């Protein structure tokens, strides 16, 4: 059975729950809720397993805080013997318009501290990342407040449809492969 590690990035704690930076957690929570799965607190994160079309998706929400995500990702990749090409890191992206989805097989951290840590710990920038656009609608010097801010009413209204599309992307990643998934979902 093919195994995949889907690591949704975010920060633990209620004060971060509905922030833009926690979209990785939010997407995995939406998938778990839709499929009737429950997360369990384990070493370095909350995990649940989702089986779909002969694939096993291990959903991980690291408890290490965003900037130390690499430790949890590496631990679960190793423990579950998931090959690097079957890792998908789900994160927010300031450089994409709100709700835009982009899957990439490698790249820079784009100034994202969670991706920077994963890259440092894994010693490679060649891992799959699914970026969810949160836009860059903030004034100079307000990036941290914006990223750690809550969704606007307008964004909250559009979020359920975007979460559904994100769940489809994750399933496609495991069943149709990364290239087909990029062609189907990037920019959508």
């Amino acid at each position: 059975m093919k195994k995949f590690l889907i690591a949704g990035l975010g920060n633990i704690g209620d004060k971060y729950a509905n922030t833009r930076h926690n979209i990785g957690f939010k997407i995995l929570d939406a998938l778990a809720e839709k499929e009737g799965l429950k997360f369990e607190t384990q070493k370095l994160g909350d995990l649940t397993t989702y089986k779909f079309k002969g694939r096993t998706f291990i959903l991980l929400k690291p408890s290490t805080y965003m900037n130390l995500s690499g430790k949890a990702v590496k631990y679960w990749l190793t423990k579950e013997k998931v090959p690097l090409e079957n890792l998908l890191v789900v994160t927010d992206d300031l450089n994409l318009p709100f709700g835009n989805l982009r899957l990439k097989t490698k790249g820079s951290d784009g100034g994202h501290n969670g991706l920077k840590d994963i890259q440092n710990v894994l010693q490679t920038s060649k891992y799959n990342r699914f970026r969810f656009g949160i836009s860059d609608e903030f004034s100079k010097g307000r990036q941290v407040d914006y990223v750690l801010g809550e969704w606007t009413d307008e964004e909250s209204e559009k979020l359920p449809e975007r979460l559904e599309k994100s769940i489809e992307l994750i399933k496609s990643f495991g069943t149709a492969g990364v290239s087909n998934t990029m062609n189907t979902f990037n920019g959508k």
Side-chain angles (χ1 to χ4, degrees):
M1 181 173 280
K2 274 186 122 176
K3 269 199 214 175
F4 298 85
L5 179 63
I6 314 298
L9 302 191
N11 285 310
I12 55 172
D14 289 341
K15 77 175 188 175
Y16 297 110
N18 202 33
T19 63
R20 292 178 181 92
H21 216 27
N22 266 38
I23 191 65
F25 280 14
K26 197 166 194 71
I27 290 168
L28 295 193
D29 285 340
L31 173 55
E33 186 179 325
K34 181 177 180 167
E35 301 299 335
L37 307 169
K38 296 267 183 262
F39 280 94
E40 284 182 26
T41 300
Q42 296 189 41
K43 185 171 180 171
L44 303 174
D46 290 353
L47 282 94
T48 191
T49 301
Y50 171 54
K51 293 187 186 304
F52 178 70
K53 291 191 176 179
R55 312 303 201 271
T56 299
F57 295 83
I58 298 156
L59 309 182
L60 166 67
K61 298 188 305 183
S63 59
T64 52
Y65 286 99
M66 181 71 79
N67 299 353
L68 298 172
S69 300
K71 184 176 181 182
V73 169
K74 181 166 179 135
Y75 175 82
W76 286 102
L77 270 177
T78 305
K79 182 170 179 15
E80 292 292 336
K81 298 179 178 66
V82 175
L84 188 60
E85 64 269 16
N86 288 359
L87 167 65
L88 180 63
V89 176
V90 184
T91 185
D92 58 303
D93 192 326
L94 285 166
N95 300 311
L96 295 173
F98 168 78
N100 262 36
L101 312 179
R102 179 158 309 143
L103 177 61
K104 294 176 75 175
T105 56
K106 62 184 191 286
S108 77
D109 56 54
H112 192 289
N113 291 329
L115 295 179
K116 195 176 291 180
D117 189 61
I118 290 169
Q119 194 164 304
N120 287 341
V121 172
L122 297 181
Q123 291 293 292
T124 183
S125 61
K126 291 182 178 154
Y127 61 89
N128 302 302
R129 69 272 322 264
F130 162 23
R131 297 172 180 251
F132 184 100
I134 61 168
S135 85
D136 59 359
E137 302 287 318
F138 56 89
S139 50
K140 192 169 170 58
R142 307 297 298 173
Q143 180 174 330
V144 171
D145 294 336
Y146 177 78
V147 170
L148 294 178
E150 297 205 353
W151 302 100
T152 65
D153 289 344
E154 188 183 341
E155 289 169 335
S156 292
E157 209 173 283
K158 294 176 180 171
L159 215 44
E161 184 274 333
R162 294 285 81 201
L163 292 173
E164 187 58 41
K165 192 63 92 178
S166 299
I167 291 168
E168 289 173 24
L169 184 150
I170 291 169
K171 290 178 179 180
S172 175
F173 170 75
T175 56
V178 72
S179 296
N180 288 333
T181 303
M182 289 193 300
N183 291 336
T184 304
F185 290 92
N186 280 359
K188 303 281 189 294

Coordinates of all heavy atoms in Angstrom, one line a residue, residues 114-153:
G114 N 8.4 28.1 8.3 CA 8.1 26.7 8.4 C 8.8 25.9 7.3 O 9.4 24.9 7.5
L115 N 8.7 26.4 6.0 CA 9.4 25.8 4.9 C 10.9 25.8 5.1 O 11.6 24.9 4.7 CB 8.9 26.4 3.6 CG 7.5 26.2 3.2 CD1 7.2 27.0 1.9 CD2 7.0 24.8 3.1
K116 N 11.4 26.9 5.6 CA 12.8 27.1 5.8 C 13.3 26.0 6.7 O 14.4 25.4 6.5 CB 13.1 28.5 6.4 CG 14.5 29.0 6.3 CD 14.6 30.4 6.8 CE 13.9 31.4 5.9 NZ 14.0 32.8 6.3
D117 N 12.6 25.8 7.8 CA 13.0 24.8 8.8 C 13.0 23.4 8.2 O 13.9 22.6 8.4 CB 12.2 24.9 10.1 CG 12.7 24.0 11.2 OD1 13.9 24.2 11.6 OD2 12.0 23.0 11.6
I118 N 11.9 23.1 7.4 CA 11.8 21.8 6.8 C 13.0 21.6 5.8 O 13.6 20.5 5.8 CB 10.4 21.6 6.1 CG1 9.3 21.5 7.1 CG2 10.4 20.4 5.2 CD1 7.9 21.7 6.5
Q119 N 13.3 22.6 5.1 CA 14.4 22.5 4.1 C 15.7 22.2 4.9 O 16.5 21.4 4.4 CB 14.5 23.8 3.4 CG 15.3 23.8 2.1 CD 15.0 25.0 1.2 OE1 13.9 25.2 0.9 NE2 16.0 25.8 0.9
N120 N 15.9 23.0 6.0 CA 17.1 22.8 6.8 C 17.2 21.4 7.3 O 18.3 20.7 7.3 CB 17.2 23.8 7.9 CG 17.5 25.2 7.4 OD1 18.0 25.4 6.3 ND2 17.2 26.2 8.2
V121 N 16.1 20.9 7.9 CA 16.2 19.6 8.5 C 16.3 18.4 7.5 O 17.0 17.5 7.7 CB 14.9 19.4 9.4 CG1 14.8 18.0 10.0 CG2 14.9 20.4 10.6
L122 N 15.5 18.5 6.4 CA 15.6 17.5 5.4 C 16.8 17.6 4.5 O 17.1 16.7 3.7 CB 14.3 17.5 4.5 CG 13.0 17.3 5.2 CD1 11.9 17.3 4.2 CD2 13.0 15.9 5.9
Q123 N 17.5 18.8 4.6 CA 18.7 19.0 3.7 C 18.4 19.0 2.2 O 19.2 18.5 1.4 CB 19.8 18.0 4.1 CG 20.4 18.3 5.5 CD 21.2 19.6 5.5 OE1 22.2 19.7 4.9 NE2 20.6 20.5 6.3
T124 N 17.2 19.4 1.9 CA 16.8 19.5 0.4 C 15.6 20.5 0.3 O 14.9 20.7 1.2 CB 16.4 18.1 -0.1 OG1 16.2 18.3 -1.5 CG2 15.2 17.5 0.6
S125 N 15.6 21.0 -0.9 CA 14.4 21.9 -1.2 C 13.5 21.1 -2.2 O 12.5 21.7 -2.7 CB 14.8 23.2 -1.8 OG 15.6 23.0 -3.0
K126 N 13.8 19.8 -2.4 CA 13.1 19.0 -3.4 C 12.1 18.2 -2.6 O 12.3 17.0 -2.4 CB 14.0 18.1 -4.2 CG 14.8 18.9 -5.2 CD 15.7 18.1 -6.0 CE 16.5 18.9 -7.0 NZ 17.7 18.4 -7.4
Y127 N 11.0 18.8 -2.2 CA 9.9 18.1 -1.6 C 8.6 18.8 -2.1 O 8.6 20.0 -2.4 CB 10.0 18.1 -0.1 CG 10.0 19.4 0.6 CD1 8.8 20.0 1.0 CD2 11.2 20.1 0.8 CE1 8.8 21.3 1.6 CE2 11.2 21.3 1.4 CZ 10.0 21.9 1.8 OH 10.0 23.2 2.3
N128 N 7.5 18.1 -2.1 CA 6.2 18.7 -2.6 C 5.6 19.6 -1.6 O 5.6 19.3 -0.4 CB 5.2 17.6 -2.9 CG 5.8 16.6 -3.9 OD1 6.2 16.9 -5.0 ND2 5.9 15.3 -3.5
R129 N 5.2 20.8 -2.1 CA 4.5 21.7 -1.2 C 3.3 22.2 -1.9 O 3.3 22.5 -3.1 CB 5.4 22.8 -0.8 CG 5.9 23.9 -1.7 CD 7.2 23.7 -2.5 NE 8.3 23.0 -2.0 CZ 9.4 23.7 -1.5 NH1 9.4 25.0 -1.4 NH2 10.4 23.0 -1.1
F130 N 2.2 22.3 -1.1 CA 0.9 22.8 -1.6 C 0.7 24.1 -0.9 O 0.6 24.2 0.3 CB -0.1 21.8 -1.2 CG -1.6 22.3 -1.2 CD1 -2.0 23.4 -2.0 CD2 -2.5 21.6 -0.5 CE1 -3.3 23.8 -1.9 CE2 -3.8 22.0 -0.5 CZ -4.2 23.1 -1.2
R131 N 0.8 25.2 -1.7 CA 0.6 26.5 -1.2 C -0.8 27.0 -1.4 O -1.3 27.0 -2.5 CB 1.6 27.5 -1.9 CG 3.1 27.1 -1.6 CD 4.0 27.9 -2.5 NE 5.4 27.6 -2.3 CZ 6.3 28.4 -1.7 NH1 5.9 29.5 -1.2 NH2 7.5 28.0 -1.6
F132 N -1.4 27.6 -0.3 CA -2.7 28.1 -0.3 C -2.6 29.6 -0.3 O -2.0 30.1 0.7 CB -3.5 27.6 0.8 CG -5.0 28.0 0.9 CD1 -6.0 27.1 0.4 CD2 -5.3 29.3 1.3 CE1 -7.3 27.5 0.4 CE2 -6.7 29.7 1.4 CZ -7.7 28.8 0.9
G133 N -3.1 30.3 -1.3 CA -2.9 31.8 -1.3 C -3.7 32.5 -0.2 O -4.9 32.3 0.0
I134 N -3.0 33.4 0.5 CA -3.7 34.2 1.5 C -3.6 35.7 1.1 O -4.0 36.6 1.9 CB -3.1 34.0 3.0 CG1 -1.6 34.4 3.0 CG2 -3.3 32.6 3.4 CD1 -1.1 34.4 4.5
S135 N -3.0 36.0 0.0 CA -2.8 37.3 -0.6 C -1.8 38.2 0.3 O -1.4 37.7 1.3 CB -4.1 38.0 -0.9 OG -4.6 38.7 0.3
D136 N -1.6 39.4 -0.2 CA -0.7 40.2 0.5 C -1.3 41.6 0.8 O -0.7 42.6 0.6 CB 0.7 40.4 -0.2 CG 0.5 40.9 -1.6 OD1 -0.7 41.2 -2.0 OD2 1.5 41.1 -2.3
E137 N -2.5 41.5 1.3 CA -3.3 42.8 1.5 C -3.0 43.4 2.8 O -3.8 43.6 3.7 CB -4.8 42.4 1.5 CG -5.3 41.8 0.2 CD -5.4 42.8 -0.9 OE1 -5.8 43.9 -0.7 OE2 -4.9 42.4 -2.0
F138 N -1.7 43.7 3.0 CA -1.3 44.4 4.3 C -0.4 45.6 4.0 O 0.3 45.6 2.9 CB -0.6 43.4 5.2 CG 0.6 42.7 4.6 CD1 1.9 43.3 4.7 CD2 0.4 41.5 4.0 CE1 3.0 42.6 4.2 CE2 1.5 40.9 3.4 CZ 2.8 41.4 3.5
S139 N -0.3 46.5 4.9 CA 0.6 47.7 4.7 C 2.0 47.3 5.1 O 2.2 46.4 5.9 CB 0.0 48.9 5.4 OG -0.3 48.6 6.7
K140 N 2.9 48.1 4.6 CA 4.3 47.9 4.9 C 4.6 47.7 6.4 O 4.1 48.5 7.2 CB 5.1 49.1 4.4 CG 6.6 48.9 4.3 CD 7.3 50.0 3.5 CE 8.7 50.0 3.6 NZ 9.5 48.9 3.2
G141 N 5.3 46.7 6.8 CA 5.7 46.5 8.2 C 4.6 45.7 9.0 O 4.8 45.5 10.1
R142 N 3.5 45.3 8.3 CA 2.4 44.7 9.0 C 2.2 43.2 8.6 O 1.2 42.6 8.9 CB 1.1 45.4 8.7 CG 1.1 46.9 9.0 CD 1.3 47.3 10.4 NE 0.3 46.8 11.2 CZ 0.3 46.9 12.6 NH1 1.3 47.5 13.2 NH2 -0.7 46.4 13.3
Q143 N 3.3 42.6 8.0 CA 3.2 41.3 7.5 C 2.8 40.3 8.7 O 1.9 39.4 8.5 CB 4.4 40.8 6.8 CG 4.4 39.4 6.3 CD 5.6 39.0 5.5 OE1 6.2 39.9 4.9 NE2 6.0 37.8 5.5
V144 N 3.5 40.4 9.8 CA 3.3 39.4 10.9 C 1.9 39.5 11.4 O 1.2 38.5 11.6 CB 4.3 39.6 12.0 CG1 4.0 38.8 13.2 CG2 5.7 39.3 11.5
D145 N 1.4 40.8 11.6 CA 0.0 41.0 12.0 C -1.0 40.4 11.1 O -2.0 39.8 11.4 CB -0.3 42.4 12.2 CG 0.5 43.1 13.3 OD1 0.9 42.3 14.2 OD2 0.7 44.3 13.3
Y146 N -0.7 40.5 9.8 CA -1.6 40.0 8.7 C -1.6 38.5 8.7 O -2.7 37.9 8.7 CB -1.2 40.6 7.4 CG -2.0 40.1 6.2 CD1 -3.2 40.6 6.0 CD2 -1.6 39.0 5.4 CE1 -4.0 40.2 4.9 CE2 -2.3 38.6 4.3 CZ -3.6 39.1 4.1 OH -4.4 38.7 3.1
V147 N -0.5 37.9 8.7 CA -0.4 36.4 8.6 C -1.0 35.8 9.9 O -1.7 34.8 9.8 CB 1.1 36.0 8.5 CG1 1.3 34.5 8.6 CG2 1.6 36.4 7.1
L148 N -0.8 36.4 11.0 CA -1.3 35.9 12.3 C -2.7 36.4 12.6 O -3.3 36.2 13.6 CB -0.4 36.1 13.4 CG 1.0 35.4 13.4 CD1 1.9 35.8 14.5 CD2 0.8 33.9 13.3
G149 N -3.3 37.2 11.6 CA -4.6 37.8 11.8 C -5.6 36.7 11.3 O -5.4 35.8 10.6
E150 N -6.9 37.0 11.7 CA -8.0 36.1 11.4 C -8.5 36.5 10.0 O -8.3 37.6 9.5 CB -9.1 36.2 12.4 CG -8.6 35.7 13.8 CD -9.6 35.2 14.7 OE1 -10.8 35.3 14.4 OE2 -9.3 34.6 15.7
W151 N -9.2 35.6 9.4 CA -9.8 35.8 8.1 C -10.9 36.9 8.1 O -11.6 37.0 9.1 CB -10.5 34.5 7.6 CG -9.6 33.3 7.5 CD1 -9.5 32.3 8.5 CD2 -8.7 33.0 6.5 NE1 -8.5 31.4 8.1 CE2 -8.0 31.8 6.9 CE3 -8.3 33.6 5.3 CZ2 -7.0 31.2 6.1 CZ3 -7.3 33.0 4.5 CH2 -6.7 31.8 4.9
T152 N -11.0 37.6 7.0 CA -12.0 38.6 6.9 C -13.4 37.9 6.7 O -13.4 36.7 6.4 CB -11.8 39.6 5.7 OG1 -11.9 38.8 4.5 CG2 -10.4 40.3 5.8
D153 N -14.5 38.7 6.9 CA -15.8 38.1 6.6 C -15.9 37.5 5.2 O -16.4 36.4 5.0 CB -16.9 39.1 6.9 CG -17.0 39.4 8.4 OD1 -16.5 38.6 9.2 OD2 -17.7 40.4 8.7

